[in-house]
Structures are given as structure tokens and as C-alpha cells.
Amino acid sequence: MLRASTQSLFKRTFTSQTSAKATVTKLSNGVTVATQPSTSPVSSVGVVFGSGASAENPYNNGVSQVLSNVFIKDDLKAVSKGLQLESFVGKEYQSFISTSSSIDASLEFLQSEILSNEISDSVFSSLKEQTLKATENYETSNHQGRVLQHLHAAAFQNTPLALPTVGTVESLINLEKSDLLDFASSQYVGSNAIVVGSGSNLKHDELVSKVEKLLKFSNGAKPELTKKSTFLGSEIRLRDDTLPKAWFSIAAEGVPLSSPYYYVSQVAAKVFGDYVATEPLSRLQGIKLIDQVNEYGIVDKYSHFSKSYKDSGLWGFSAETSNFVQIDDLVHFTLKQWNRLTISVTDLEVSRAKQSLKLQIASELNSNAKIINEVGSKSLASVESKSLDEIFEAIDAISVKDIKTFASEHLWDRDIAISGAGQIEDLFDYGRIRNEMSMMRW
């Protein structure tokens, strides 16, 4: 009875979600306003700028993180007004989000904190120090995160996507208050912004009216990047035998946001799933790669990913292992499974991967912040946000042939980027790993 009731509740919730699609209006001042319903009982409003780490340079890298801290510095003040604040820095976007029962209160706070360009010297010094400590901690303790940042740096050398979203200790130390003001004045303009609202009771016309009245953006041309991000096969390794494990990541060039293979690449990543050795259910997914690594105990956890940006992307996997003397075996088993995507992936594997991807996408619909970041970043990249129905329809239409075509064009015998940290002696040389991207067949 309980099971039937749960299924019925999920069906009703799921059905209401499928009709959700972003409604978009462009105002006369160049600002875009979008709303997308969610299952959340509270409403969130966010301003998303097309900036992020890719809009920085090696000398002011991390300025976006400091500006995020500027936004949430008065968290207690926000709480007293009934606001919950969040801010995110991505490779190609930055968002400032306020959740409240009052849209007016959220918009007024967004106006006062991110569009006024006011910051005292003492506040800047304090927040710079706070950001610097967070970055130092990230570099010394978040090994998997650092490996992913280095993977981008290796894959997109000397292009906008190479810069880390958290900044670097070296750039943050030399950051001046004028760097923040210059960055904000050039990036936080109406033509480079989208206001996104999400919630179960948020009305689009109401938000448009309030944005026109309460938010005042600076005028200016939309800033354009002077260089496109292009993929280059290379590697970054930070071997440190004092660390207890090895962390590494390998990726080929993925697809951009506008690619017709956008969802195909995500399904291809789901073919191999995610694995955590300490979770019993993780071992029982019926995935060939998981059966292999579980049998030999050669990895603590791994995850496959498909990351897409405006001009390019990354498709690959990240792994963490305490069995660092068998890293080469793990790499071999994994890349041989990648080879199968081109030649022998099955209908069952693709079907399971599609269901897994749809479950992941549907489960994210109760997060206003994820919806705001998704709608905002895609709109700024001139990619239309789809309804859940449309997304599921696109995923359901993917066939084994599509997966094989994607893998043949983007994975088979393609250059790769590699990054690693910790005890990575057994992560063999680039040439050996690169040779695993195809196989000899008779």
C-alpha cells in the first residue's frame, strides 16, 4: 500500500514537472528575463552573467570568487530579511541567487549587493583573505577537484577555459580592489545578463514587471572573448607520494552546448555509470566496467562525465584509488570499454544509460539554484532551454547507432588530456595511454 501511494505521488509530481519550460522575455534595455517552474514551494530569483572564470585572465583569476563572497558577506542581514543567498562561479557564467517568499525583497537585495559597485577597502581586504584561504584549502585538500581543474588547464592551454574557477593563490595575492571594480563594470552589464526566476508559484509577467522597476543594469556592449577555447592533447601531473591515494582524470574532447550530440554524449557517459566501492548497491548495476574493477579491487570510486561549453567540451572520467600499484590496469580496463562504444555497445546498455540520465535530470528539478544556473548559462550561450518532455523525447530518440557514431567521431583514436595527483607512479606515460584509445582488430 505504501509502495503504491509513493508511486502515485511520484507520478503526479513527475507529470506536473514535464510541462515546465522556460518562458523568456527580452527587455528594451537588453536584459533577458526567464522563468521556469519547479517543484520547490519557495521562489528564487537569480542574476546570471556570462562571465565566470573564462572572462578572467591569469592576473585577475579568482576575481569572480571574491565578488561572490562580496554578495554573501551580509548573510546575517539577508536572513533577517527572510532571504537565503547563493552564488556560483562556473567556467562561463556567474550567478547570484536569492530565495525568499518576497520577489521584491530578493530583487532589491540583488540590486544593492551586485549592481551598486560599492565596496570598502576593509571589506575587500577581508574578503580577499577569505577567498585566498579557501583557495589554499582547495589546492591542498580537494585533490579530485584540483585534478579536474588541471584537466581543463591541460586540455585548453592558453584559452579561456584553462583558468580555474577557484582562482590561484598567486593571482589572488596580487588582486587589488580596482580589479574587482574593473571586472564588475565590464561584465555586469545588461547585455551580458539574464534574470532567471524559478518556483512553483512564480509568474513570468509579474517577474518581468518587477525586474523593469527594481533592477538597474549598467549599459554597455556585451563583452566578447578574444580567443576561442580549443582542445589540445596534453597532460599535467603532480606526483606526491606523501598522499595516501592517487587521483587522476582522462578525457577526450567533448561536444559544445549547441551540438546535436549534446544528449548523446551524456548518455554515452552513463553507459559506464558511477562507482563507489564502499556502497554495496554501487556494485550491482550490471555494468561491465564496474564488474571488472570490483572483481580486482582496483578503484575506490570513479565517475564518467560529459562537460559542454560554448566552443568545446570534455568527455571522460575521474578516479580515486588507494590501490595505486594497479592504476595502469584501471586505465586499460576503462579505455577498452570506451573502445566498445564504437564497435559493440549493446541496446541494453544504451537503454539503461538513457533511464539513468533521465532520472538524474528529473531529480534536479526540485533545486531552484540548478534550474537558474542551467537556464541562465544556456541562454547566455544562445542555446534554448528545453522542457522536461522535450529533453526526455530527445534522450528516448537516441539509438545504439547514435552512440557508435558519437564515439567514432569523438573518442576512437582521439587525443586525450590527462591530469593526476598523489601516488601516480603507475599512471604510465602519455603515449602508452593514448594508444589505448583504439584497438587492433583482426
Side-chain angles (χ1 to χ4, degrees):
M1 185 68 179
L2 178 61
R3 183 176 180 179
S5 299
T6 304
Q7 289 177 337
S8 177
L9 176 62
F10 177 77
K11 185 177 180 180
R12 290 197 302 271
T13 305
F14 188 78
T15 301
S16 66
Q17 291 173 348
T18 59
S19 62
K21 183 175 182 177
T23 304
V24 181
T25 299
K26 189 157 188 176
L27 307 182
S28 57
N29 60 1
V31 177
T32 301
V33 180
T35 56
Q36 179 164 332
S38 73
T39 59
S40 175
V42 295
S43 297
S44 300
V45 179
V47 179
V48 185
F49 293 101
S51 53
S54 63
E56 301 172 355
N57 60 59
Y59 306 103
N60 69 359
N61 185 212
V63 65
S64 298
Q65 284 290 346
V66 178
L67 286 165
S68 282
N69 288 331
V70 170
F71 175 66
I72 61 177
K73 70 180 187 303
D74 291 328
D75 193 45
L76 292 177
K77 175 184 173 183
V79 170
S80 68
K81 294 183 176 182
L83 306 176
Q84 179 183 340
L85 306 180
E86 297 173 276
S87 183
F88 301 87
V89 178
K91 287 290 185 180
E92 297 180 321
Y93 74 90
Q94 179 170 15
S95 63
F96 303 91
I97 302 170
S98 173
T99 300
S100 171
S101 58
S102 170
I103 297 176
D104 290 43
S106 290
L107 291 175
E108 288 170 356
F109 194 88
L110 289 168
Q111 173 66 41
S112 65
E113 294 301 318
I114 64 174
L115 299 178
S116 62
N117 283 344
E118 295 180 2
I119 178 173
S120 66
D121 292 338
S122 60
V123 168
F124 167 74
S125 298
S126 174
L127 295 177
K128 173 184 170 180
E129 186 66 24
Q130 176 185 330
T131 307
L132 182 59
K133 288 181 179 179
T135 300
E136 288 176 336
N137 182 64
Y138 182 93
E139 292 184 351
T140 56
S141 61
N142 189 345
H143 304 295
Q144 193 61 66
R146 181 176 56 162
V147 163
L148 279 174
Q149 297 288 355
H150 287 169
L151 184 71
H152 284 78
F156 303 110
Q157 290 182 37
N158 300 315
T159 68
L161 286 176
L163 293 174
T165 55
V166 296
T168 64
V169 172
E170 293 79 8
S171 61
L172 286 167
I173 286 176
N174 297 316
L175 207 62
E176 301 290 341
K177 177 183 171 181
S178 58
D179 294 319
L180 267 69
L181 299 179
D182 291 344
F183 186 84
S185 63
S186 63
Q187 298 292 329
Y188 297 173
V189 295
S191 57
N192 196 37
I194 177 170
V195 180
V196 186
S198 182
S200 57
N201 300 312
L202 190 63
K203 294 179 174 58
H204 180 75
D205 292 341
E206 180 184 1
L207 180 61
V208 169
S209 175
K210 292 181 182 297
V211 167
E212 287 182 314
K213 182 173 65 174
L214 298 175
L215 290 188
K216 307 299 179 185
F217 288 87
S218 300
N219 295 322
K222 183 176 181 178
E224 299 290 344
L225 297 176
T226 58
K227 183 186 296 186
K228 291 183 65 175
S229 292
T230 54
F231 183 89
L232 176 68
S234 59
E235 62 181 355
I236 295 177
R237 299 170 183 245
L238 292 178
R239 180 179 171 183
D240 184 351
D241 289 346
T242 65
L243 294 175
K245 295 183 179 183
W247 295 264
F248 66 94
S249 188
I250 301 173
E253 183 177 15
V255 298
L257 287 168
S258 58
S259 170
Y261 287 116
Y262 176 72
Y263 289 113
V264 178
S265 67
Q266 293 187 354
V267 171
K270 286 296 182 182
V271 167
F272 308 114
D274 300 326
Y275 172 76
V276 181
T278 56
E279 295 180 2
L281 290 178
S282 186
R283 309 173 193 172
L284 305 175
Q285 299 181 58
I287 295 173
K288 291 184 179 181
L289 179 58
I290 289 179
D291 292 342
Q292 289 175 325
V293 300
N294 188 51
E295 178 181 357
Y296 297 106
I298 54 179
V299 68
D300 297 340
K301 62 177 68 173
Y302 80 70
S303 63
H304 278 77
F305 56 79
S306 176
K307 299 181 182 294
S308 296
Y309 306 104
K310 291 178 185 178
D311 300 322
S312 188
L314 286 177
W315 192 99
F317 89 117
S318 295
E320 173 186 322
T321 180
S322 51
N323 187 355
F324 39 79
V325 297
Q326 286 189 279
I327 294 176
D328 186 53
D329 294 330
L330 172 59
V331 171
H332 171 76
F333 285 137
T334 301
L335 270 56
K336 289 303 104 180
Q337 289 297 314
W338 289 12
N339 295 163
R340 285 201 318 106
L341 286 178
T342 301
I343 59 176
S344 61
V345 65
T346 66
D347 286 319
L348 178 61
E349 289 176 306
V350 174
S351 178
R352 180 178 55 234
K354 291 195 291 187
Q355 298 305 317
S356 177
L357 178 60
K358 289 194 290 185
L359 178 61
Q360 176 188 315
I361 292 173
S363 67
E364 294 175 348
L365 284 179
N366 62 349
S367 169
N368 286 346
K370 287 184 177 179
I371 291 174
I372 288 171
N373 288 331
E374 178 81 2
V375 173
S377 59
K378 284 190 174 180
S379 296
L380 289 164
S382 301
V383 176
E384 181 184 9
S385 295
K386 298 178 180 293
S387 69
L388 194 63
D389 278 339
E390 292 171 330
I391 293 173
F392 281 12
E393 183 179 348
I395 294 173
D396 286 334
I398 294 171
S399 65
V400 169
K401 182 180 179 181
D402 295 324
I403 298 294
K404 288 182 176 180
T405 301
F406 161 77
S408 176
E409 294 179 1
H410 294 275
L411 301 179
W412 184 271
D413 199 22
R414 297 293 176 178
D415 284 343
I416 52 177
I418 303 172
S419 64
Q423 298 199 45
I424 55 173
E425 180 181 7
D426 200 50
L427 183 64
F428 287 170
D429 66 272
Y430 183 93
R432 177 186 174 94
I433 299 174
R434 171 64 177 81
N435 288 338
E436 298 272 19
M437 292 298 290
S438 61
M439 62 172 68
M440 297 292 290
R441 302 183 69 208
W442 287 271

